[in-house]
Amino acid sequence: MDGTMGARQKALAAMFPDGVAARAKLVALGLSHSWISRRCRDGGPWRRPIPGVILLTNATPSTRQLQKVALTHAGPDAMLTGVQAARLYGVRRLPPERRAHTLIPHQSKVATWGFAIVERTIHLPEPVEIDGLPVAPLARALIDAARRMDDLPSVRAMIHDAVHRGLCTPKGLREELAQASTIGSALPRLVVGALQDGVDSAVEQWLRTVLDRSGLPKPLRKAELRTRGGRFVGVAEVWWPKVGVAMQIRYDEVALEPGKAPETPALAAAGVIVVQVSPAQLRDQPLLVVQELRAAYRSGRQRPPPQPGGTPAAPAA
């Protein structure tokens, strides 16, 4: 009997490596409802954190297990969003949050239960897979998180961190806000408006001038950079894939913390040569920016290109 039980446990561990299973799937495998319920009693080896979802351990669940519980509860079309999703993208300046926020199709009938927040939406995005979990695009995750926050400095810090380190763009945030619910949108609109107000068209003109003066080959524009395995690395305003050189525009100077020194760009960790400039540098020091770009391009030609591949989100300039 013990051997049979051990073999069953190994089989379940292989099928559900995170230790989270829908009760219906366990029943479909031949386990009875009564047997499952006995194992979930106090002192038993399993737990039932949400009706219909079984944690195949009695240990304190990890953050990933709670995320899997929430996704299993929400259904096969669900994806993580909000703070937990932003953390998976690498956003650092986030409020503490143990709840798992998921998005599901508007016609679904699943409801929020405890820590598992379920939001039905008619604008369900295409999920991105991060570490095996379906996750909403970062701009959507940030706006969903901000709509549930009531502290302006915290919203500013979160959005600033993501934009400042090139994880998403002001344009992407603005597009998400355009179709987001108005409920809770006042704070993110204020922050994103500060990032955007009065700079878009001018910055684009200044950037085109710099690129024309540089004499460099035509780059990709607004490229989402990913590793060969598909992991999201960051967004480059300008990207030369053959030499692994990117330019990122730091919008923080017109938004949140104008006196703060920039952090190391996230793209640099992937081996990309990154030139970070501010809108003011494009406007007032175009020749200096041109020199930096040329120097970076020369450096890139002297080494093998890095692994990240880029997909442009807009036509090349």
Side-chain angles (χ1 to χ4, degrees), residues 19 30 58 71-72 86 96 98 115 117 130 154 160 178 193-194 210 216 222 243 246 251 255 257 264 301:
N58 58 9
L71 287 166
T72 303
R98 286 284 288 174
F115 72 92
I117 300 171
I130 302 178
S154 296
H160 172 262
V210 163
L216 297 174
K222 302 186 189 306
V243 293
Y251 287 90
E257 299 180 42
T264 301
R301 293 183 62 181

Side-chain angles (χ1 to χ4, degrees), residues 63-115:
T63 298
R64 181 181 175 87
Q65 284 178 318
L66 291 176
Q67 292 168 347
K68 287 286 290 187
V69 168
L71 287 166
T72 303
H73 166 69
D77 296 320
M79 66 190 75
L80 284 171
T81 190
V83 172
Q84 299 270 11
R87 185 169 287 112
L88 289 173
Y89 279 100
V91 180
R92 299 171 186 167
R93 302 182 65 183
L94 294 167
E97 180 62 271
R98 286 284 288 174
R99 296 173 299 174
H101 183 179
T102 58
L103 296 175
I104 61 173
H106 191 262
Q107 66 271 19
S108 298
K109 303 301 182 183
V110 182
T112 293
W113 186 282
F115 72 92

Side-chain angles (χ1 to χ4, degrees), residues 63 67 80-99 101 130 135 137-163 165 167-168 173 257 260 263:
T63 298
Q67 292 168 347
L80 284 171
T81 190
V83 172
Q84 299 270 11
R87 185 169 287 112
L88 289 173
Y89 279 100
V91 180
R92 299 171 186 167
R93 302 182 65 183
L94 294 167
E97 180 62 271
R98 286 284 288 174
R99 296 173 299 174
H101 183 179
I130 302 178
V135 183
L138 180 54
R140 176 62 180 271
L142 291 170
I143 297 304
D144 285 343
R147 288 195 300 107
R148 292 175 177 269
M149 297 164 62
D150 58 8
D151 179 63
L152 179 58
S154 296
V155 174
R156 280 177 169 167
M158 176 181 69
I159 291 178
H160 172 262
D161 182 57
V163 172
R165 295 194 294 115
L167 299 178
C168 70
L173 292 166
E257 299 180 42
K260 184 171 181 178
E263 298 177 5

Side-chain angles (χ1 to χ4, degrees), residues 22-280:
R23 187 184 190 109
K25 285 192 175 182
L26 295 176
V27 172
L29 292 172
L31 307 181
S32 69
H33 282 289
S34 59
W35 188 82
I36 295 170
S37 295
R38 284 196 301 271
R39 293 183 69 79
C40 294
R41 290 174 181 169
D42 288 344
W46 292 356
R47 291 289 178 267
R48 190 197 67 164
I50 294 178
V53 183
I54 305 300
L55 193 62
L56 305 178
T57 177
N58 58 9
T60 301
S62 65
T63 298
R64 181 181 175 87
Q65 284 178 318
L66 291 176
Q67 292 168 347
K68 287 286 290 187
V69 168
L71 287 166
T72 303
H73 166 69
D77 296 320
M79 66 190 75
L80 284 171
T81 190
V83 172
Q84 299 270 11
R87 185 169 287 112
L88 289 173
Y89 279 100
V91 180
R92 299 171 186 167
R93 302 182 65 183
L94 294 167
E97 180 62 271
R98 286 284 288 174
R99 296 173 299 174
H101 183 179
T102 58
L103 296 175
I104 61 173
H106 191 262
Q107 66 271 19
S108 298
K109 303 301 182 183
V110 182
T112 293
W113 186 282
F115 72 92
I117 300 171
V118 177
E119 180 177 342
R120 293 189 291 272
T121 178
I122 59 175
H123 299 295
L124 191 71
E126 188 70 24
V128 176
E129 184 174 309
I130 302 178
D131 295 335
L133 299 174
V135 183
L138 180 54
R140 176 62 180 271
L142 291 170
I143 297 304
D144 285 343
R147 288 195 300 107
R148 292 175 177 269
M149 297 164 62
D150 58 8
D151 179 63
L152 179 58
S154 296
V155 174
R156 280 177 169 167
M158 176 181 69
I159 291 178
H160 172 262
D161 182 57
V163 172
H164 178 70
R165 295 194 294 115
L167 299 178
C168 70
T169 64
K171 180 181 178 182
L173 292 166
R174 185 177 59 188
E175 290 173 350
E176 285 297 338
L177 272 174
Q179 64 180 10
S181 168
T182 57
I183 299 174
S185 68
L187 295 185
R189 288 183 190 281
L190 181 63
V191 173
V192 175
L195 286 169
Q196 289 294 134
D197 189 23
V199 301
D200 275 356
S201 59
V203 168
E204 181 63 26
Q205 181 178 347
W206 300 331
L207 178 57
R208 286 176 181 270
T209 298
V210 163
L211 293 176
D212 289 343
R213 289 186 178 184
S214 73
L216 297 174
K218 182 176 289 188
L220 298 179
R221 291 293 310 279
K222 302 186 189 306
E224 292 187 358
L225 304 189
R226 300 178 182 276
T227 65
R228 298 302 178 193
R231 181 176 64 84
F232 178 83
V233 178
V235 176
E237 183 68 35
V238 178
W239 171 235
W240 287 277
K242 291 185 178 181
V243 293
V245 173
M247 173 195 276
Q248 290 184 319
I249 298 177
R250 288 177 32 239
Y251 287 90
D252 54 297
E253 68 156 6
V254 294
L256 304 172
E257 299 180 42
K260 184 171 181 178
E263 298 177 5
T264 301
L267 294 179
V272 174
I273 298 174
V274 184
V275 177
Q276 281 196 324
V277 300
S278 68

